[in-house]
């Protein structure tokens, strides 16, 4: 039988690699819960119709969705993003507004796997429903910014744009179609025949011929109605007031169709340009109504966890070893001490592991070294008889006896002394 492996575009995170995952998830929960966002969990798969409003002309829906008919004959899809699922839950449960939710979830897109681009990937994000106030856009954008700062990722470029609304977008769209049609022959093969279906897609195309035509195209920010312009100005003023540095990028187009007015992206400066979007989001005031719910403005973002980790590893982050074990119990006096000491220290809040199977002292010391623990707690027959424990700094140093009764306070003292 051939060796079984994980599918292309997916990966395993082993216990030895997962402490950074824990760090980025915990930091996110802490940042957004302080602003009143509550955790939401939704199903990994939904009725395919939940995702159709992301946009029939987007790659995400057209080419990348994992959809299938299940054994009960239902057409379902693995979620390609979380926003539509949260909107579905909002419509279904009708909570009072404003309603603020945060999530950490995996998503599925059938993309060409490469560094920073996976078929199953993870996002952390927030969504806020029920207020058209531009100050809510500011809160949302600033929370993402604060999150990166809390991880020590400072090489982030925040790009902001406005995509207008139903009052000003139709006229802009017409102008854009006119511009693109006049230069149709210069566009790439994919977009030459798709101008009318969704002209904004052309602006998002990364291929050189389309980029040249896009550069000269009319810009939505120059064609906003008075309300959209006032909204954008208030967002700019709010970000300035909070000292969140940003740049207006009139060419910023998001890959999903539900956006209105404010859109934004956090670009990671330490990442390759093909995968430098650490996260992005914006307002989607029309999505809930388009999905059959009450007219409800909303705004949110999602941040890619894998890309955030890449940015951390690129050296701009803290990379703290918060999950390192404090101690490893080496017991070659029968096993009772390993059982009792590890349980007692864990209950006292220490991170402790131990060996099993009555292995030799040498083999247990090897496991202690491999575990990455800071201290070995050694109980041989002599220590056991004397009611003591040997403490040994695993980065070097001699073993010292301490009284079992003083173990918690002695271990805490030594850990504090070692932590920079
Ligand atoms: P998105 O731009 O499609 O937006 O995805 C957000 C982030 O997810 C990206 O910036 C990137 O970091 C990460 N990401 C996307 N695709 C992949 C992939 N194949 N592999 C690894 N990472 C990936 C959304 O999903 C919207 N739901 C954001 C939003 C929330 N808008 C409003 N609320």
């Amino acid at each position: 039988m051939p060796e079984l492996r994980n599918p292309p575009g997916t990966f395993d995170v082993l216990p030895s690699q997962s402490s950074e995952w824990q760090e980025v998830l915990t930091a996110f929960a802490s940042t957004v819960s302080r602003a009143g966002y509550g955790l939401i969990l939704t199903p990994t798969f939904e009725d395919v119709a939940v995702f159709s409003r992301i946009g029939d002309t987007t790659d995400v829906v057209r080419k990348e969705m994992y959809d299938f008919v299940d054994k009960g004959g239902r057409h379902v899809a693995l979620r390609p993003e979380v926003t539509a699922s949260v909107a579905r839950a909002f419509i279904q449960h009708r909570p009072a507004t404003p309603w603020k939710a945060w999530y950490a979830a995996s998503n599925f897109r059938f993309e060409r796997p490469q560094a920073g681009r996976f078929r199953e990937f993870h996002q952390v994000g927030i969504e806020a429903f029920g207020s058209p106030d531009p100050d809510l856009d500011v809160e949302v954008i600033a929370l993402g910014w604060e999150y990166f700062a809390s991880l020590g990722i400072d090489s982030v470029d925040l790009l902001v744009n406005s995509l207008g609304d139903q009052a000003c977008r139709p006229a802009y769209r017409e102008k854009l179609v006119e511009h693109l049609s006049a230069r149709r022959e210069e566009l790439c093969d994919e977009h030459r025949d798709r101008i009318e279906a969704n002209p904004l897609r052309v602006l998002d195309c990364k291929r050189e011929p389309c980029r040249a035509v896009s550069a000269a195209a009319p810009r939505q920010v120059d064609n906003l109605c008075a309300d959209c312009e006032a909204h954008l100005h208030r967002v700019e003023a709010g970000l300035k007031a909070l000292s969140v540095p940003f740049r207006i990028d009139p060419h910023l187009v998001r890959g999903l169709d539900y956006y209105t007015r404010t859109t934004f992206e956090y670009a990671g400066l330490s990442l390759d340009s093909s995968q430098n979007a650490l996260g992005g989001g914006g307002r989607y005031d029309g999505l809930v109504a388009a999905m059959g719910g009450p007219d409800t403005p909303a705004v949110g973002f999602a941040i890619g966890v894998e890309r955030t980790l890449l940015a951390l590893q690129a050296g701009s982050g803290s990379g703290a070893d918060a999950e390192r074990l404090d101690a490893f119990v080496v017991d070659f006096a029968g096993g009772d001490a390993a059982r009792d000491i590890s349980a007692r220290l864990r209950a006292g809040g220490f991170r402790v592991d131990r060996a099993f199977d009555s292995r030799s002292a040498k083999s247990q010391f090897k496991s202690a070294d491999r575990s990455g623990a800071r201290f070995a707690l050694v109980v041989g027959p002599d220590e056991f008889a004397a009611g003591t424990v040997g403490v040994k700094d695993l980065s070097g140093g001699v073993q010292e006896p301490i009284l079992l009764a003083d173990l918690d306070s002695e271990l805490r003292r030594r850990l504090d002394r070692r932590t920079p």
Side-chain angles (χ1 to χ4, degrees):
M1 187 164 146
E3 191 188 349
L4 294 173
R5 301 185 69 85
N6 60 303
T10 69
F11 52 87
D12 301 309
V13 182
L14 303 179
S16 55
Q17 307 157 339
S18 58
S19 66
E20 281 189 329
W21 278 79
Q22 244 172 292
E23 185 192 350
V24 298
L25 297 176
T26 314
F28 191 76
S30 150
T31 302
V32 299
S33 58
R34 269 183 280 130
Y37 292 77
L39 175 65
I40 183 167
L41 289 91
T42 60
T44 306
F45 64 92
E46 298 264 8
D47 189 307
V48 73
V50 168
F51 303 116
S52 59
R53 298 292 166 179
I54 293 173
D56 291 338
T57 62
T58 61
D59 284 354
V60 172
V61 170
R62 231 162 37 95
K63 301 185 191 160
E64 297 166 1
M65 203 141 73
Y66 278 88
D67 64 314
F68 55 96
V69 177
D70 73 8
K71 290 187 169 60
R74 288 189 186 84
H75 191 181
V76 296
L78 303 185
R79 68 175 160 234
E81 60 119 43
V82 193
T83 311
S85 293
V86 179
R88 194 267 310 139
F90 173 80
I91 294 166
Q92 186 176 334
H93 302 285
R94 306 278 166 123
T97 56
W99 189 61
K100 292 168 151 190
W102 74 269
Y103 49 81
S106 58
N107 300 279
F108 304 83
R109 297 183 191 177
F110 193 79
E111 300 202 70
R112 202 165 57 78
Q114 51 189 293
R117 194 172 289 284
F118 303 94
R119 290 183 174 167
E120 179 175 5
F121 62 97
H122 299 75
Q123 289 180 338
V124 288
I126 56 176
E127 313 291 349
F129 291 78
S131 168
D133 192 332
D135 283 4
L136 183 57
D137 307 27
V138 173
E139 173 180 290
V140 165
I141 298 172
L143 280 170
W145 183 262
E146 204 185 300
Y147 170 58
F148 290 120
S150 76
L151 291 173
I153 301 174
D154 47 19
S155 51
V156 180
D157 208 4
L158 171 58
L159 311 173
V160 178
N161 192 17
S162 173
L163 294 182
D165 64 6
Q166 69 280 21
C168 52
R169 203 185 300 171
Y172 166 69
R173 191 181 191 279
E174 246 172 66
K175 265 193 193 177
L176 183 60
V177 168
E178 209 174 290
H179 170 84
L180 297 174
S181 302
R183 297 180 63 175
R184 185 183 297 273
E185 293 315 313
E186 296 171 50
L187 298 177
C188 77
D189 291 347
E190 184 182 347
H191 289 115
R192 198 168 303 131
D193 301 321
R194 302 196 59 83
I195 298 176
E196 283 77 14
N198 192 339
L200 283 175
R201 275 286 77 69
V202 183
L203 299 185
D204 197 27
C205 179
K206 304 283 182 283
R207 295 184 196 101
E208 217 27 76
C210 282
R211 285 171 70 135
V213 176
S214 297
R219 311 176 327 169
Q220 177 74 68
V221 277
D222 302 327
N223 291 274
L224 295 176
C225 59
D227 285 350
C228 284
E229 198 162 282
H231 191 97
L232 179 60
H233 285 160
R234 179 76 193 170
V235 171
E236 291 182 71
L239 292 174
K240 281 182 191 146
L242 297 184
S243 304
V244 175
F246 67 96
R247 199 154 55 77
I248 295 289
D249 179 358
H251 296 289
L252 176 67
V253 180
R254 309 265 307 123
L256 311 166
D257 276 354
Y258 47 58
Y259 292 110
T260 49
R261 295 192 168 168
T262 314
T263 52
F264 55 94
E265 216 158 83
Y266 306 97
L269 299 176
S270 55
L271 301 182
D272 216 58
S273 66
S274 60
Q275 38 140 59
N276 71 349
L278 286 170
R283 256 200 183 272
Y284 46 97
D285 291 346
L287 180 64
V288 172
M291 288 173 73
D295 212 356
T296 310
V299 56
F301 68 66
I303 288 171
V305 175
E306 289 79 4
R307 297 198 188 165
T308 302
L309 289 169
L310 282 174
L312 266 176
Q313 285 151 10
S316 50
S318 64
D321 60 351
E323 298 310 318
R324 202 171 158 189
L325 283 176
D326 296 322
F328 192 100
V329 187
V330 172
D331 176 354
F332 48 104
D336 288 1
R339 181 192 61 209
D340 298 346
I341 291 176
S342 51
R344 166 177 148 189
L345 289 176
R346 286 170 191 163
F350 294 96
R351 286 182 291 265
V352 180
D353 202 359
R354 51 159 296 189
F356 292 93
D357 306 321
S358 309
R359 296 191 349 240
S360 67
K362 189 172 159 209
S363 150
Q364 290 190 50
F365 268 115
K366 213 191 239 172
S367 300
D369 275 331
R370 210 179 294 136
S371 76
R374 292 167 194 226
F375 292 97
L377 303 177
V378 186
V379 188
D382 294 346
E383 287 87 359
F384 192 68
T388 61
V389 180
V391 182
K392 186 174 187 306
D393 188 329
L394 282 167
S395 61
V398 291
Q399 185 174 315
E400 294 171 36
I402 53 175
L403 282 176
L404 190 51
D406 298 337
L407 179 58
D408 298 56
S409 55
E410 270 299 314
L411 183 59
R412 171 64 51 221
R413 198 174 62 76
R414 283 162 201 256
L415 283 166
D416 288 347
R417 205 167 56 199
R418 279 206 47 194
T419 308

